[in-house]
Amino acid sequence: MTQQENLPALELSRRIRSGDLSVVESTRRSLAEVAQRNPTLNAFVEVWSDAALTRAAELDHKRVSGESTGPLFGVPIGLKSNLCVTGQLCTCASKMLSNYRPTYSATVCQRLLDADAILLGRTNMDEYAMGSGTEYSIYGPTRNPHFASGPNAVLEGYSPGGSSGGSAAAVASGMVPLALGSDTGGSIRQPAAFCGVYGLKPTYGRVSRFGLVAYASSLDQIGPIATTPEDLELLFQVIQGSDRLDATSLSREKVQQVEATLGHKSLKQLRVGIIREHAEQDLAPTVRRALEETKEYLKSVGATLVEVSLPKQAQAIATYYLIASCEAASNLSRYDGMHFGHRAQVPEKNATLEQVIAASRGEGFGAEVKRRIMLGTYALSHGYAEQYYQQATRMRQAIRQDFAAAFAEVDVLLGPTTPAPAFPIGAHRQDPIAMYLTDQFTVSANLAGLPAISVPIELTNFQPDESRLPVAVQFHAPPCGESRLFAVANALHERNQSAKLGAEA
Ligand code: GLN
């Protein structure tokens, strides 16, 4: 199957249901695409070929025998390596979990199976989802499928973003039409932006976290990555919904009640907030143009643009990295080589428990994870917790209130997903803070529990010296306002299609 023939999930599933294509045939095509593209991209770290083909044959049988078919019938999906599937490795790209095979499946994975999807394999990520480049992985870095030939090309290629870079690269390269990622501070939206695909971070509590290996529990949320907004919504609808296995899961009644108060708005009725503080930021020229073109388009379809202020925006990144590191230090304390995780072989005969634990954690975790654990442990330690953690929690409340005030005036907020397009692999290796700053526009959605979407923007024309790497914009909505995000993304998708045709003409 060539790149051009790669179909969105909705179309693929429709063809399979109509008998045009068997599930086995479609699964084989996907596997062939992985075999061809993955050696360069390193998006998948494990492909479950046998299990996928066996299941494909079962699904074909199901269709032929006339049984009802689920909404993702026959669609191959990539899963980030921090999602549990019974009996399959779930490593979080860490030496610490390199042999971990869960005995249960994440709720989202079970829902995919119930919807008749094919779980094709697991994708690369930053260790424990900590990172923004899919470089901190025991499997080595993933490459962005957009190699960007021309004036800005680099030798090693570009980063796909992170931490769900494997999932985004797998979708953008056409290996699979859909993938799941997790987003604690931008890890779905930032890689989606870097790879030119759609990514959604749902409202906190709308998608069950049961079976997702925890990074920072009050921020983590699983979400979809796709090549069209329709596919994104399809996958979101399958995975969302209350779950008694996740205590923070929102009940169906609650979601319906909030959705009812949001109501339905057409594009013409939509009030789009432009975040004043974002405009003052240092943005790459193509990102700035993507924003301008999006605004022009939204105005042309009748939406009203309103400038709004999020005064605490500048504090978001420090607040996020403090809270995320504190929660990570706490969540990762279980990996001690005793209860869970890699156990070091300590040579001394009479090694103490403490020595074994220290050696196991020393060997099992990579440098970035250790950095977060040390930062989080320090910030939570006696005498400092008030100064750092409590202060960050108060700032988080203030950030939430900023959003609430903005949403009293507008229906969605528009801003960039990232300050710049993808960076070359290794560009931030010596400077973790520079890497953290690529998340400056994404972290506040997690701090405030809001849904946010990254929408790729097809620029109408490029200057000869401009980067051809994908660019994107981001929309935030109030809690449970996902349908507003899909509506805006659908409109922009249409605009993108005509911009593309215009460029080809
Ligand atoms: N890059 C951010 C971090 O390292 C976000 C990660 C994520 O969303 N999982 O914490």
Side-chain angles (χ1 to χ4, degrees):
M1 199 184 213
T2 65
Q3 270 292 104
Q4 293 74 11
E5 282 169 319
N6 287 319
L7 302 170
L10 261 175
E11 178 62 13
L12 178 67
S13 192
R14 194 191 61 73
R15 285 209 196 167
I16 292 174
R17 263 185 227 132
S18 73
D20 261 11
L21 191 69
S22 74
V23 185
V24 168
E25 211 177 322
S26 136
T27 309
R28 280 197 202 287
R29 285 185 184 187
S30 212
L31 290 171
E33 196 72 23
V34 176
Q36 200 199 338
R37 306 272 286 163
N38 206 51
T40 332
L41 298 181
N42 196 27
F44 274 94
V45 294
E46 194 182 6
V47 185
W48 303 323
S49 317
D50 292 346
L53 286 168
T54 307
R55 181 162 162 81
E58 284 165 13
L59 290 177
D60 276 330
H61 181 74
K62 186 171 175 179
R63 190 186 72 80
V64 174
S65 57
E67 285 176 55
S68 67
T69 54
L72 291 174
F73 191 76
V75 177
I77 296 193
L79 299 174
K80 188 174 181 177
S81 295
N82 56 358
L83 294 167
C84 293
V85 175
T86 307
Q88 299 288 6
L89 283 173
C90 176
T91 65
C92 288
S94 179
K95 181 171 178 182
M96 184 55 95
L97 286 178
S98 53
N99 293 320
Y100 174 53
R101 284 183 197 272
T103 53
Y104 62 97
S105 289
T107 298
V108 291
C109 298
Q110 192 52 53
R111 289 187 179 171
L112 293 178
L113 290 171
D114 295 343
D116 289 339
I118 305 260
L119 308 183
L120 204 76
R122 56 190 183 88
T123 58
N124 203 7
M125 59 184 281
D126 286 295
E127 186 179 2
Y128 281 97
M130 298 173 196
S132 312
T134 315
E135 294 181 21
Y136 308 138
S137 160
I138 48 166
Y139 307 106
T142 293
R143 280 175 148 194
N144 193 316
H146 298 269
F147 282 93
S149 54
N152 296 290
V154 291
L155 202 59
E156 260 193 277
Y158 287 86
S159 165
S163 62
S164 313
S167 290
V171 171
S173 62
M175 295 184 201
V176 277
L178 298 174
L180 287 183
S182 66
D183 191 313
T184 305
S187 279
I188 290 174
R189 290 161 286 154
Q190 186 254 26
F194 280 11
C195 293
V197 291
Y198 293 83
L200 174 79
K201 181 234 146 321
T203 306
Y204 187 76
R206 277 205 84 172
V207 177
S208 167
R209 289 180 295 110
F210 178 74
L212 165 72
V213 178
Y215 161 12
S217 313
S218 78
L219 303 159
D220 296 341
Q221 197 62 191
I222 301 165
I225 297 176
T227 59
T228 69
E230 281 182 325
D231 272 9
L232 199 72
E233 183 166 11
L234 173 72
L235 182 51
F236 169 68
Q237 290 302 345
V238 167
I239 60 170
Q240 65 89 35
S242 81
D243 179 16
R244 60 181 183 80
L245 298 172
D246 173 358
T248 59
S249 162
L250 293 171
S251 70
R252 191 213 291 231
E253 295 71 39
K254 177 79 188 166
V255 171
Q256 281 173 345
Q257 191 191 333
V258 181
E259 275 180 334
T261 60
L262 293 177
H264 175 75
K265 300 234 165 139
S266 71
L267 274 188
K268 275 195 170 44
Q269 299 167 308
L270 207 69
R271 292 172 66 83
V272 180
I274 308 297
I275 305 170
R276 185 179 307 144
E277 289 74 13
H278 284 178
E280 293 156 7
Q281 297 290 325
D282 202 8
L283 298 179
T286 50
V287 173
R288 204 170 275 287
R289 280 217 291 130
L291 273 174
E292 290 314 314
E293 292 195 17
T294 305
K295 285 191 220 166
E296 283 312 308
Y297 174 77
L298 290 172
K299 267 198 280 188
S300 75
V301 294
T304 312
L305 305 187
V306 184
E307 195 179 84
V308 293
S309 173
L310 296 176
K312 297 291 185 303
Q313 194 51 38
Q315 275 74 45
I317 199 89
T319 308
Y320 166 79
Y321 273 96
L322 207 282
I323 291 179
S325 299
C326 288
E327 292 190 25
S330 164
N331 272 327
L332 270 57
S333 65
R334 74 189 74 165
Y335 305 106
D336 55 8
M338 296 287 162
H339 298 92
F340 290 101
H342 167 80
R343 181 179 302 184
Q345 300 300 319
V346 182
E348 298 94 84
K349 249 205 165 125
N350 300 320
T352 63
L353 183 66
E354 220 163 74
Q355 282 169 330
V356 178
I357 291 176
S360 300
R361 287 169 69 83
E363 285 177 12
F365 291 133
E368 183 61 29
V369 173
K370 285 178 185 161
R371 198 160 20 240
R372 310 285 178 108
I373 293 175
M374 285 189 287
L375 178 65
T377 307
Y378 177 77
L380 286 175
S381 58
H382 185 72
Y384 290 105
E386 168 59 27
Q387 195 180 341
Y388 295 113
Y389 181 69
Q390 300 299 347
Q391 167 120 0
T393 324
R394 280 193 290 275
M395 185 52 76
R396 182 179 191 173
Q397 279 311 324
I399 290 170
R400 267 175 197 265
Q401 279 156 13
D402 275 2
F403 275 109
F407 285 125
E409 290 178 52
V410 296
D411 304 308
V412 292
L413 290 166
L414 165 65
T417 309
T418 58
F423 49 82
I425 290 176
H428 300 316
R429 215 160 276 166
Q430 305 308 328
D431 186 358
I433 306 284
M435 184 80 104
Y436 297 174
L437 287 174
T438 70
D439 301 327
Q440 58 181 294
F441 302 126
T442 48
V443 295
S444 29
N446 303 75
L447 289 169
L450 304 173
I453 192 170
S454 181
V455 176
I457 297 297
E458 203 66 46
L459 296 179
T460 44
N461 54 51
F462 281 100
Q463 309 304 317
D465 60 336
E466 256 177 1
S467 155
R468 304 294 165 108
L469 288 162
V471 282
V473 297
Q474 176 179 219
F475 290 91
H476 290 78
C480 300
E482 278 84 353
S483 53
R484 281 186 191 169
L485 299 179
F486 294 130
V488 178
N490 272 313
L492 282 164
H493 190 63
E494 263 178 47
R495 177 217 160 267
N496 279 344
Q497 300 300 95
S498 34
K500 225 185 257 177
L501 286 178
E504 280 163 13

